[in-house]
Amino acid sequence: MDNNIDNWESLPTQEVEKDLDTNIETGLTDKQVEARLSKYGKNVLPQGKVRPWYITFLLALVEPLQIILMIAAVISVLAPRIGDWHQPVHASDFIDFIVIIAIVVIDAVLETVQTVKARKSVDSLKTLSKPRAVVMRDGKQMEIDAADLVPGDIVLIEAGRFIPAELRILESSEFTVDESILTGESLPVNKNANPIKPTTILADKTNICFMNTFAVNGRAVGVVIKTGEETEIGKIAATINANTDTKTPLEKKLTKFSYWISVFAVLIAVVIFVSLYFTGEKNAWSNYLMVAITLAIGVIPESLAAVVSITLSFSTKRLAEENVIVKKLASVETLGSVNVICTDKTGTLTQNRMTVQKVITDNKVVDAKEYVNLANNFEKDIFKKLLLLPNDAVTEGEERIGDPTELALVDFAEKMGADEQEYRKKFKRIDELPFDSERKLMTTVNKDGKNNIICVKGAIDELLKVCDRILLDNKVQHLDEKMKKEILKESGSLSKNALRVLGFAYSDEQKKKDYEKNLIFVGAVGMIDPVRDSAVKAVKEAHDAGIRVVMITGDHPTTALAIAKDLDIAYTEYEVMTSATLEKLNDQQLLRVIDNIKVFARVNPEHKVRIVQALQAKGNITSMTGDGVNDAPSLSIADIGVAMGITGTDVAKQAADVILTDDNFLTMMKGVNEGRNVWQKIRRTIVFLLGINIANVLGILIISLINHTSPLEATDILWINLVVESLLAISMGMGPNDDSLMSLPPIKGNNGLLKGLLWPIIKISTILAGCLIGAFYVGMLATPDNLLTINKDQFVAGSTILGDGPSHQFDSWKELLKCNEFIRNSDAKINAIVYGRTAMFIVATLSPAIIAHIIRLSNWKSYKRVEFSINKSLLVASIIAVVLNTLILFIPGLNDTVFSLVGDKSWTSSNCWVIFMAIGFAFAAPALILLTDAIVFFGYHYAINPWERNRKMVSDLVRKDQAQEKAAKKKNKQKRTI
């Protein structure tokens, strides 16, 4: 047998039988089946490899930011020992190491848990059971597991069954197949055994049935030509499995940020060490190196990785409650970055359910809803019979079997109070003329009491040819040529709007050969797979958010454009491109025109991939939304693939990054909103962490250069960076969402994490650094005389400043700090600045608890009123931080021994003002930040200079004109529809 043929559709039946070495009448023998199973394998789709949870965990540990943090953790242990490796090791020396490693592990655990949870959620959405197939083998008909099919098997198919493999039709009877999951074609395709010219368009292969599509009407006999991975759906599944995971935009930005912050930290360390070395005591170089490394580590936002993971984890939890399953944490932010949404039509934007929209009755077009509400009369009673009697669709409960067009007629009749089952029992069918492609009519003869009624439906142009009367105003009247032209004109207007028109007529009993003669025309219906109401709202939200929506469908251009008009996606045929045109364009030509195309019609799966790749090549962050097998390759290649959870195929769900469990396109916009908020929360956290860290470094560096000693100890810096800031930063990601972000343009894919953040970081760091320095020097005014008396053993041997005395009394703390005759590692300077250190520590720990609440990066420029929302998690974290810092200040041993602050017994009525002064500086920093923001806000909205005012006025006029033009287009579209 030859199974390498590509153009099976062009071969005659006898040649197909010969090439496959099979027998149409008796099928394969058991021996042939066994040999072919051994050669071709099982008829199953290839499965992608599932990554074990521990591999996911290990990969999360080797992200760039995590590696930097682990290096910092090791340095935090080694730095204090530089120059003195023999000092004893204490458990307290590993506190910072433990905290940093804990943050890294927590981040990896969150990533692993979310990935495993998402995988389980996806598995639970798989609802299709194992398909079965009816075959002929050794001359016997039997039902087998579809996985056991082999090329050459003869398969019998009837309505209601899934196609178990790729088949070439050998015989058929009124056989139609729903191929929407593969081709995107919303209407069933008629299948027959006639050879056709070779074609690459799957939707045009009218004698081939594709695996996993669905038979909706009639019966057929086919021969298996391909199984498993060789089928069209198998090729798609294999392509998806071969695709390697690519980094999301957030992951790329975090990696880039990690490199930059590492370089910045190294530069900080070098600058600090060099500055201290050349301005201070040369023999204290190891102390300076330790300070430099400690501050360099302090610049690195250690909690950022945890903040990102926890923020994303909370977002995925919120999205799960909103029917959005996110398979990978970082995909949430990608949703917020999307600026082009490519979407399938059938089942995504539309309901994937043909519905009657218009009715032609009494020679006029009325809306279907209006017709349903009309009073019952003779014409309406006849019309209900015509909808249900010449109809083979079966509906019972949730089960719906039959042609979608006939199912739509049943649904419409039921809206008018007619029950399909009762009508068919009451008006039994006694004869029929089945539909065929030449007559384009279907006729049934049904018992109607003592008489019979002939019910005819079909193409309206063919139906009018056999009608000589018409039912008008409940009376039968003569149907002349002028009336026929008017009806055809009304029908044509519906067809132009992509509605499928079916006409209906009836007659009293006649001879069989005259069933379709001298009929009475009753009316017609126009039906279409209608857009979802939620999709209209979703597209509007997308446009308002600056997101372009592109429809990609296997449907015909006319149908696609009609749906696009209803959704306000496209308005003219110039915005529609077919696959035939697409194939004629090379990549460069496609890039030149793709920005002007809103609808791609009649496309194959490979075309969808090419379209997505072209959009990505233009610098867009592209989302692909779909439910069918034909969508899977593009779902996989897009920056973010979004699959439907109910109607979506398993292949589509496997390829996607996000799954909508309610099949609602509007739900995706909730994901976009969440993604934008995730991005904003991460950016706010970066501003907070870098602003506070740089402020601390600046304050410590400036004071160290002036006084030749660090104002804060390593333990103080560690507490500020890893406990206070981390506690606040993590809770910042748990706050409520800001819906105003949906009125901003999408984030550009090439924007780094620091894009637009330099000013707020500089603002916070400079203001807070000034307050830290101010608090230190004001606090030093409380230094008592006993701290200015230095014992002999704290000076270098032969010190000239001592004379012969056992100690030396300095006149001021400034004079003490300028003295260079202390021995190395002396506690003299540490003790002398304890009041300044305490004041600075209070500001460094209290001020961030306030600043965290006032960082605004939202869309304040678009509104003259700034709304503040309360982040309850951040409020609780701030209270905890304040309480912890208060305990540190007043718990004996903890304040002076561990943190080198003023001991609880040292506070008196004469120096306690330092605490209140420091609190004042702590509040001064956020107050100055708010004042700066208020000045900028006022200047933008209320003090615009003439040039900016004119520009704003022109922008407002342009937006107004665009809104009016859009409204006019919509109004014209509605007129054309009517």
Side-chain angles (χ1 to χ4, degrees):
M1 63 170 286
D2 186 357
N3 196 38
N4 295 318
I5 299 172
D6 289 326
N7 299 323
W8 289 101
E9 67 271 14
S10 64
L11 302 179
T13 302
Q14 296 80 1
E15 196 169 332
V16 172
E17 182 181 19
K18 179 182 177 182
D19 288 334
L20 289 170
D21 189 19
T22 189
N23 187 299
I24 294 176
E25 300 297 330
T26 61
L28 298 173
T29 65
D30 290 340
K31 187 176 181 181
Q32 286 177 306
V33 170
E34 187 177 347
R36 295 183 188 188
L37 268 176
S38 176
K39 181 178 180 180
Y40 298 107
K42 289 279 189 179
N43 176 38
V44 293
L45 297 179
Q47 297 294 318
K49 293 181 179 179
V50 178
R51 180 181 291 165
W53 68 265
Y54 53 86
I55 298 296
T56 303
F57 177 77
L58 292 174
L59 289 174
L61 289 177
V62 295
E63 291 293 328
L65 189 56
Q66 273 73 358
I67 293 174
I68 291 168
L69 289 178
M70 286 188 279
I71 293 172
V74 174
I75 292 174
S76 70
V77 176
L78 298 179
R81 281 165 179 72
I82 294 175
D84 191 4
W85 299 103
H86 301 292
Q87 62 177 297
V89 177
H90 302 286
S92 59
D93 297 335
F94 291 90
I95 293 175
D96 45 355
F97 176 87
I98 293 170
V99 173
I100 294 175
I101 295 300
I103 287 174
V104 172
V105 172
I106 289 170
D107 175 48
V109 168
L110 287 171
E111 175 75 26
T112 305
V113 168
Q114 177 58 32
T115 303
V116 173
K117 280 174 62 179
R119 187 185 301 152
K120 289 180 179 178
S121 298
V122 173
D123 292 340
S124 69
L125 293 172
K126 295 180 179 180
T127 55
L128 291 180
S129 59
K130 285 188 176 182
R132 307 279 291 174
V134 178
V135 299
M136 290 293 297
R137 286 184 178 173
D138 278 332
K140 297 177 183 178
Q141 182 175 312
M142 61 182 70
E143 188 175 30
I144 64 170
D145 191 330
D148 295 327
L149 286 173
V150 295
D153 259 325
I154 306 300
V155 181
L156 287 68
I157 317 159
E158 59 184 12
R161 281 188 175 269
F162 282 95
I163 307 300
E166 204 146 299
L167 310 178
R168 168 67 157 83
I169 299 298
L170 303 174
E171 300 172 9
S172 67
S173 173
E174 308 302 326
F175 187 56
T176 57
V177 178
D178 179 1
E179 296 182 336
S180 60
I181 68 163
L182 183 63
T183 66
E185 173 68 68
S186 59
L187 293 174
V189 180
N190 292 313
K191 297 288 183 177
N192 55 62
N194 302 327
I196 60 172
K197 291 181 179 179
T199 178
T200 58
I201 299 177
L202 301 180
D204 291 342
K205 295 190 176 186
T206 54
N207 56 12
I208 303 292
C209 286
F210 301 101
M211 186 177 181
N212 274 27
T213 55
F214 186 73
V216 296
N217 192 56
R219 290 171 293 277
V221 177
V223 58
V224 176
I225 54 176
K226 292 179 182 178
T227 59
E229 193 170 337
E230 296 301 316
T231 63
E232 291 298 327
I233 186 175
K235 292 175 185 175
I236 292 170
T239 301
I240 295 166
N241 293 337
N243 287 340
T244 55
D245 287 339
T246 56
K247 285 184 175 290
T248 66
L250 178 60
E251 289 172 324
K252 293 175 183 176
K253 290 169 185 175
L254 282 173
T255 299
K256 190 174 181 181
F257 176 76
S258 301
Y259 294 145
W260 278 111
I261 200 67
S262 301
V263 172
F264 182 62
V266 171
L267 290 176
I268 285 286
V270 172
V271 169
I272 291 174
F273 176 74
V274 171
S275 301
L276 292 177
Y277 181 79
F278 285 104
T279 60
E281 305 171 43
K282 301 294 189 293
N283 62 352
W285 66 268
S286 60
N287 283 351
Y288 299 151
L289 182 59
M290 188 184 76
V291 171
I293 292 173
T294 302
L295 290 180
I297 294 173
V299 171
I300 298 173
E302 292 90 350
S303 57
L304 180 60
V307 168
V308 171
S309 290
I310 290 172
T311 302
L312 292 173
S313 185
F314 268 80
S315 292
T316 55
K317 184 179 178 181
R318 272 196 294 262
L319 286 176
E321 294 170 356
E322 296 285 353
N323 300 309
V324 182
I325 293 176
V326 180
K327 293 165 67 175
K328 187 177 181 182
L329 279 177
S331 298
V332 178
E333 186 276 333
T334 310
L335 274 171
S337 303
V338 165
N339 65 329
V340 177
I341 295 177
C342 297
T343 176
D344 177 42
K345 176 185 76 68
T346 307
T348 304
L349 297 175
T350 64
Q351 298 173 14
N352 199 16
R353 185 167 178 164
M354 294 294 287
T355 306
V356 174
Q357 299 284 299
K358 301 290 181 181
V359 179
I360 299 176
T361 180
D362 288 339
N363 271 9
K364 63 179 182 291
V365 177
V366 299
D367 189 80
K369 292 179 181 178
E370 181 183 338
Y371 185 82
V372 168
N373 294 325
L374 293 175
N376 285 324
N377 53 32
F378 174 71
E379 183 267 334
K380 200 169 181 182
D381 287 339
I382 290 290
F383 197 60
K384 284 187 279 189
K385 292 176 184 177
L386 296 176
L387 290 171
L388 293 174
L389 300 181
N391 193 321
D392 292 327
V394 177
T395 63
E396 189 169 350
E398 295 296 320
E399 189 172 355
R400 298 167 59 85
I401 300 175
D403 185 277
T405 301
E406 293 191 333
L407 287 169
L409 301 179
V410 171
D411 292 339
F412 188 52
E414 288 181 347
K415 287 180 181 178
M416 291 187 285
D419 185 89
E420 163 211 347
Q421 306 284 347
E422 290 181 6
Y423 264 62
R424 290 177 184 172
K425 288 178 183 177
K426 184 177 180 180
F427 308 103
K428 290 188 177 180
R429 186 182 298 185
I430 58 176
D431 200 2
E432 67 177 303
L433 294 176
F435 176 89
D436 66 44
S437 56
E438 292 183 5
R439 291 170 30 252
K440 296 184 179 178
L441 300 174
M442 176 184 181
T443 301
T444 63
V445 181
N446 298 77
K447 292 292 291 183
D448 189 2
K450 295 181 179 181
N451 302 316
N452 294 335
I453 180 173
I454 300 169
C455 303
V456 184
K457 74 171 181 186
I460 195 166
D461 52 343
E462 296 297 326
L463 184 65
L464 287 173
K465 291 178 183 178
V466 295
C467 292
D468 59 2
R469 289 165 292 170
I470 185 172
L471 191 60
L472 282 176
D473 298 324
N474 284 313
K475 296 178 182 178
V476 177
Q477 301 180 28
H478 175 67
L479 178 63
D480 56 27
E481 290 301 317
K482 182 180 178 182
M483 284 185 182
K484 289 183 179 180
K485 287 181 180 178
E486 289 177 356
I487 294 170
L488 287 173
K489 183 179 179 181
E490 289 166 347
S491 170
S493 68
L494 297 181
S495 297
K496 285 180 181 178
N497 285 290
L499 273 72
R500 186 181 187 189
V501 181
L502 275 182
F504 299 89
Y506 78 101
S507 178
D508 299 329
E509 183 181 4
Q510 299 179 26
K511 294 180 181 179
K512 186 164 186 174
K513 64 179 181 179
D514 297 328
Y515 281 166
E516 296 175 352
K517 289 184 180 179
N518 304 321
L519 301 175
I520 303 168
F521 181 78
V522 177
V525 297
M527 64 187 80
I528 196 171
D529 179 13
V531 299
R532 298 171 182 258
D533 292 337
S534 58
V536 177
K537 185 178 179 182
V539 171
K540 183 180 183 305
E541 283 190 12
H543 288 162
D544 292 342
I547 300 172
R548 176 183 166 204
V549 179
V550 177
M551 183 196 296
I552 306 178
T553 178
D555 234 329
H556 288 276
T558 304
T559 304
L561 180 58
I563 296 296
K565 287 178 180 178
D566 288 339
L567 291 163
D568 283 337
I569 292 176
Y571 306 98
T572 68
E573 60 186 16
Y574 302 107
E575 297 171 290
V576 181
M577 180 181 286
T578 63
S579 59
T581 304
L582 180 63
E583 288 182 340
K584 293 176 184 177
L585 301 178
N586 59 37
D587 291 342
Q588 291 302 318
Q589 290 171 327
L590 179 60
L591 286 176
R592 282 197 292 269
V593 302
I594 197 165
D595 288 339
N596 300 317
I597 304 301
K598 306 293 179 59
V599 178
F600 291 89
R602 213 66 181 157
V603 297
N604 284 347
E606 62 271 18
H607 297 140
K608 295 187 178 187
V609 171
R610 190 180 173 203
I611 293 164
V612 170
Q613 289 176 330
L615 288 166
Q616 290 172 325
K618 297 279 282 188
N620 297 299
I621 301 296
T622 306
S623 166
M624 179 67 201
T625 305
D627 61 347
V629 175
N630 59 326
D631 300 313
S634 49
L635 287 172
S636 178
I637 206 73
D639 294 294
I640 186 85
V642 182
M644 301 294 119
I646 300 174
T647 59
T649 59
D650 288 345
V651 175
K653 294 170 193 173
Q654 179 185 337
D657 303 293
V658 174
I659 298 172
L660 308 180
T661 58
D662 61 353
D663 282 17
N664 192 338
F665 188 58
L666 183 60
T667 304
M668 181 181 171
M669 297 312 297
K670 295 178 182 177
V672 173
N673 185 20
E674 190 70 46
R676 290 191 176 188
N677 273 277
V678 163
W679 172 249
Q680 196 74 331
K681 288 172 184 176
I682 291 172
R683 280 161 57 86
R684 285 183 65 219
T685 304
I686 289 173
V687 168
F688 174 73
L689 290 174
L690 288 185
I692 302 298
N693 287 352
I694 292 173
N696 292 336
V697 169
L698 279 176
I700 294 169
L701 176 61
I702 291 171
I703 294 172
S704 298
L705 291 175
I706 295 172
N707 301 318
H708 311 307
T709 187
S710 175
L712 293 177
E713 291 295 286
T715 310
D716 303 328
I717 297 169
L718 175 66
W719 174 263
I720 295 168
N721 287 346
L722 296 185
V723 181
V724 178
E725 290 177 18
S726 297
L727 181 66
L728 296 170
I730 289 171
S731 59
M732 286 177 72
M734 302 178 187
N737 285 346
D738 180 2
D739 293 335
S740 70
L741 294 177
M742 290 299 285
S743 62
L744 289 173
I747 306 149
K748 290 185 179 180
N750 56 357
N751 280 357
L753 282 173
L754 295 177
K755 178 75 172 181
L757 301 185
L758 291 180
W759 163 243
I761 290 172
I762 292 171
K763 174 182 64 182
I764 291 172
S765 58
T766 52
I767 290 174
L768 182 56
C771 290
L772 288 169
I773 295 169
F776 174 82
Y777 281 108
V778 175
M780 288 301 294
L781 298 175
T783 305
D785 291 340
N786 66 299
L787 293 182
L788 302 180
T789 302
I790 311 300
N791 296 326
K792 182 177 182 179
D793 59 356
Q794 291 180 306
F795 286 97
V796 296
S799 174
T800 58
I801 197 171
L802 279 171
D804 296 327
S807 64
H808 178 76
Q809 177 71 37
F810 288 93
D811 294 330
S812 70
W813 60 269
K814 293 179 183 178
E815 183 185 356
L816 183 150
L817 293 179
K818 288 180 180 179
C819 179
N820 292 326
E821 297 192 21
F822 293 104
I823 62 171
R824 191 174 174 209
N825 295 328
S826 171
D827 293 331
K829 288 187 177 182
I830 297 175
N831 294 332
I833 61 172
V834 66
Y835 282 91
R837 180 185 303 112
T838 302
M840 191 174 183
F841 181 82
I842 292 172
V843 176
T845 53
L846 177 58
S847 199
I850 306 168
I851 292 173
H853 292 271
I854 65 171
I855 296 175
R856 293 285 295 177
L857 300 174
S858 300
N859 188 21
W860 59 268
K861 286 186 178 181
S862 300
Y863 302 95
K864 290 188 176 182
R865 182 172 149 198
V866 179
E867 295 183 2
F868 284 94
S869 55
I870 297 175
N871 182 345
K872 293 180 181 178
S873 300
L874 180 57
L875 188 61
V876 171
S878 299
I879 294 171
I880 293 172
V882 171
V883 170
L884 290 175
N885 294 322
T886 304
L887 292 175
I888 287 173
L889 284 174
F890 297 107
I891 292 179
L894 191 62
N895 45 25
D896 50 4
T897 305
V898 177
F899 288 93
S900 301
L901 304 176
V902 176
D904 57 300
K905 294 181 180 179
S906 299
W907 293 111
T908 65
S909 57
S910 61
N911 64 16
C912 64
W913 60 267
V914 172
I915 296 175
F916 298 103
M917 174 276 301
I919 293 173
F921 272 102
F923 277 91
L928 288 170
I929 292 169
L930 278 177
L931 179 62
T932 306
D933 286 342
I935 293 170
V936 174
F937 183 82
F938 179 83
Y940 184 86
H941 288 289
Y942 299 102
I944 305 175
N945 62 48
W947 181 83
E948 288 178 329
R949 189 184 300 112
N950 292 338
R951 186 183 67 172
K952 194 170 186 292
M953 189 182 300
V954 172
S955 298
D956 291 340
L957 289 172
V958 169
R959 281 196 295 269
K960 187 176 180 181
D961 290 342
Q962 288 175 340
Q964 289 176 345
E965 184 181 354
K966 188 174 181 180
K969 286 182 179 180
K970 192 171 184 179
K971 189 174 181 181
N972 292 333
K973 182 188 71 174
Q974 291 172 344
K975 286 182 178 179
R976 288 196 300 270
T977 304
I978 295 171

